[in-house]
PDB file of all heavy atoms in Angstrom:
ATOM      1  N   LYS W 140     115.097 146.521  53.930  1.00  0.00           N
ATOM      2  CA  LYS W 140     115.113 147.464  55.044  1.00  0.00           C
ATOM      3  C   LYS W 140     113.788 147.310  55.777  1.00  0.00           C
ATOM      4  O   LYS W 140     112.726 147.436  55.167  1.00  0.00           O
ATOM      5  CB  LYS W 140     115.286 148.897  54.532  1.00  0.00           C
ATOM      6  CG  LYS W 140     115.470 149.908  55.635  1.00  0.00           C
ATOM      7  CD  LYS W 140     115.765 151.279  55.065  1.00  0.00           C
ATOM      8  CE  LYS W 140     116.001 152.275  56.166  1.00  0.00           C
ATOM      9  NZ  LYS W 140     116.224 153.625  55.633  1.00  0.00           N
ATOM     10  N   GLY W 141     113.847 147.000  57.055  1.00  0.00           N
ATOM     11  CA  GLY W 141     112.619 146.763  57.809  1.00  0.00           C
ATOM     12  C   GLY W 141     111.860 145.593  57.216  1.00  0.00           C
ATOM     13  O   GLY W 141     112.417 144.528  57.004  1.00  0.00           O
ATOM     14  N   GLN W 142     110.589 145.811  56.902  1.00  0.00           N
ATOM     15  CA  GLN W 142     109.744 144.769  56.309  1.00  0.00           C
ATOM     16  C   GLN W 142     109.678 144.867  54.790  1.00  0.00           C
ATOM     17  O   GLN W 142     108.815 144.264  54.176  1.00  0.00           O
ATOM     18  CB  GLN W 142     108.329 144.861  56.895  1.00  0.00           C
ATOM     19  CG  GLN W 142     108.238 144.451  58.339  1.00  0.00           C
ATOM     20  CD  GLN W 142     108.596 142.979  58.520  1.00  0.00           C
ATOM     21  OE1 GLN W 142     108.183 142.105  57.773  1.00  0.00           O
ATOM     22  NE2 GLN W 142     109.407 142.706  59.534  1.00  0.00           N
ATOM     23  N   SER W 143     110.574 145.632  54.168  1.00  0.00           N
ATOM     24  CA  SER W 143     110.515 145.845  52.725  1.00  0.00           C
ATOM     25  C   SER W 143     111.701 145.231  51.997  1.00  0.00           C
ATOM     26  O   SER W 143     112.835 145.341  52.444  1.00  0.00           O
ATOM     27  CB  SER W 143     110.474 147.344  52.409  1.00  0.00           C
ATOM     28  OG  SER W 143     109.318 147.920  52.968  1.00  0.00           O
ATOM     29  N   ILE W 144     111.401 144.606  50.876  1.00  0.00           N
ATOM     30  CA  ILE W 144     112.416 144.086  49.957  1.00  0.00           C
ATOM     31  C   ILE W 144     112.492 145.070  48.800  1.00  0.00           C
ATOM     32  O   ILE W 144     111.458 145.473  48.256  1.00  0.00           O
ATOM     33  CB  ILE W 144     112.000 142.695  49.401  1.00  0.00           C
ATOM     34  CG1 ILE W 144     112.069 141.657  50.485  1.00  0.00           C
ATOM     35  CG2 ILE W 144     112.843 142.291  48.214  1.00  0.00           C
ATOM     36  CD1 ILE W 144     113.464 141.269  50.882  1.00  0.00           C
ATOM     37  N   TYR W 145     113.687 145.464  48.418  1.00  0.00           N
ATOM     38  CA  TYR W 145     113.886 146.353  47.287  1.00  0.00           C
ATOM     39  C   TYR W 145     114.357 145.524  46.098  1.00  0.00           C
ATOM     40  O   TYR W 145     115.246 144.701  46.234  1.00  0.00           O
ATOM     41  CB  TYR W 145     114.894 147.439  47.630  1.00  0.00           C
ATOM     42  CG  TYR W 145     114.353 148.378  48.679  1.00  0.00           C
ATOM     43  CD1 TYR W 145     114.462 148.090  50.033  1.00  0.00           C
ATOM     44  CD2 TYR W 145     113.692 149.537  48.307  1.00  0.00           C
ATOM     45  CE1 TYR W 145     113.936 148.931  51.000  1.00  0.00           C
ATOM     46  CE2 TYR W 145     113.160 150.383  49.266  1.00  0.00           C
ATOM     47  CZ  TYR W 145     113.285 150.081  50.603  1.00  0.00           C
ATOM     48  OH  TYR W 145     112.757 150.913  51.553  1.00  0.00           O
ATOM     49  N   TYR W 146     113.728 145.754  44.964  1.00  0.00           N
ATOM     50  CA  TYR W 146     114.052 144.961  43.782  1.00  0.00           C
ATOM     51  C   TYR W 146     113.861 145.796  42.528  1.00  0.00           C
ATOM     52  O   TYR W 146     113.234 146.843  42.537  1.00  0.00           O
ATOM     53  CB  TYR W 146     113.186 143.695  43.719  1.00  0.00           C
ATOM     54  CG  TYR W 146     111.708 143.945  43.542  1.00  0.00           C
ATOM     55  CD1 TYR W 146     111.115 143.829  42.290  1.00  0.00           C
ATOM     56  CD2 TYR W 146     110.902 144.287  44.617  1.00  0.00           C
ATOM     57  CE1 TYR W 146     109.758 144.060  42.127  1.00  0.00           C
ATOM     58  CE2 TYR W 146     109.553 144.514  44.462  1.00  0.00           C
ATOM     59  CZ  TYR W 146     108.983 144.402  43.212  1.00  0.00           C
ATOM     60  OH  TYR W 146     107.649 144.638  43.054  1.00  0.00           O
ATOM     61  N   ARG W 147     114.436 145.310  41.447  1.00  0.00           N
ATOM     62  CA  ARG W 147     114.271 145.943  40.157  1.00  0.00           C
ATOM     63  C   ARG W 147     113.661 144.921  39.214  1.00  0.00           C
ATOM     64  O   ARG W 147     113.860 143.722  39.380  1.00  0.00           O
ATOM     65  CB  ARG W 147     115.597 146.456  39.617  1.00  0.00           C
ATOM     66  CG  ARG W 147     116.574 145.359  39.317  1.00  0.00           C
ATOM     67  CD  ARG W 147     117.944 145.814  38.896  1.00  0.00           C
ATOM     68  NE  ARG W 147     118.709 146.586  39.826  1.00  0.00           N
ATOM     69  CZ  ARG W 147     119.266 146.136  40.942  1.00  0.00           C
ATOM     70  NH1 ARG W 147     119.125 144.882  41.287  1.00  0.00           N
ATOM     71  NH2 ARG W 147     119.964 146.915  41.704  1.00  0.00           N
ATOM     72  N   VAL W 148     112.920 145.414  38.227  1.00  0.00           N
ATOM     73  CA  VAL W 148     112.327 144.544  37.217  1.00  0.00           C
ATOM     74  C   VAL W 148     112.852 144.989  35.862  1.00  0.00           C
ATOM     75  O   VAL W 148     112.724 146.156  35.494  1.00  0.00           O
ATOM     76  CB  VAL W 148     110.784 144.613  37.234  1.00  0.00           C
ATOM     77  CG1 VAL W 148     110.192 143.752  36.127  1.00  0.00           C
ATOM     78  CG2 VAL W 148     110.244 144.185  38.585  1.00  0.00           C
ATOM     79  N   TYR W 149     113.471 144.070  35.172  1.00  0.00           N
ATOM     80  CA  TYR W 149     113.985 144.333  33.830  1.00  0.00           C
ATOM     81  C   TYR W 149     112.939 143.927  32.806  1.00  0.00           C
ATOM     82  O   TYR W 149     112.315 142.881  32.935  1.00  0.00           O
ATOM     83  CB  TYR W 149     115.250 143.509  33.567  1.00  0.00           C
ATOM     84  CG  TYR W 149     116.361 143.780  34.527  1.00  0.00           C
ATOM     85  CD1 TYR W 149     116.484 143.019  35.682  1.00  0.00           C
ATOM     86  CD2 TYR W 149     117.273 144.790  34.291  1.00  0.00           C
ATOM     87  CE1 TYR W 149     117.516 143.262  36.575  1.00  0.00           C
ATOM     88  CE2 TYR W 149     118.301 145.038  35.176  1.00  0.00           C
ATOM     89  CZ  TYR W 149     118.414 144.265  36.314  1.00  0.00           C
ATOM     90  OH  TYR W 149     119.426 144.509  37.197  1.00  0.00           O
ATOM     91  N   GLY W 150     112.739 144.757  31.793  1.00  0.00           N
ATOM     92  CA  GLY W 150     111.851 144.412  30.691  1.00  0.00           C
ATOM     93  C   GLY W 150     110.391 144.729  30.920  1.00  0.00           C
ATOM     94  O   GLY W 150     109.555 144.420  30.078  1.00  0.00           O
ATOM     95  N   GLU W 151     110.041 145.360  32.031  1.00  0.00           N
ATOM     96  CA  GLU W 151     108.634 145.675  32.292  1.00  0.00           C
ATOM     97  C   GLU W 151     108.168 146.777  31.347  1.00  0.00           C
ATOM     98  O   GLU W 151     108.845 147.781  31.189  1.00  0.00           O
ATOM     99  CB  GLU W 151     108.447 146.120  33.740  1.00  0.00           C
ATOM    100  CG  GLU W 151     106.988 146.300  34.092  1.00  0.00           C
ATOM    101  CD  GLU W 151     106.790 146.535  35.571  1.00  0.00           C
ATOM    102  OE1 GLU W 151     107.146 147.618  36.028  1.00  0.00           O
ATOM    103  OE2 GLU W 151     106.301 145.625  36.242  1.00  0.00           O
ATOM    104  N   GLY W 152     107.041 146.568  30.718  1.00  0.00           N
ATOM    105  CA  GLY W 152     106.505 147.558  29.794  1.00  0.00           C
ATOM    106  C   GLY W 152     107.279 147.618  28.487  1.00  0.00           C
ATOM    107  O   GLY W 152     107.193 148.589  27.752  1.00  0.00           O
TER     108      GLY W 152
END
Side-chain angles (χ1 to χ4, degrees):
K140 187 175 182 183
Q142 290 296 316
S143 298
I144 290 287
Y145 293 85
Y146 65 100
R147 65 185 62 71
V148 177
Y149 301 92
E151 187 171 71

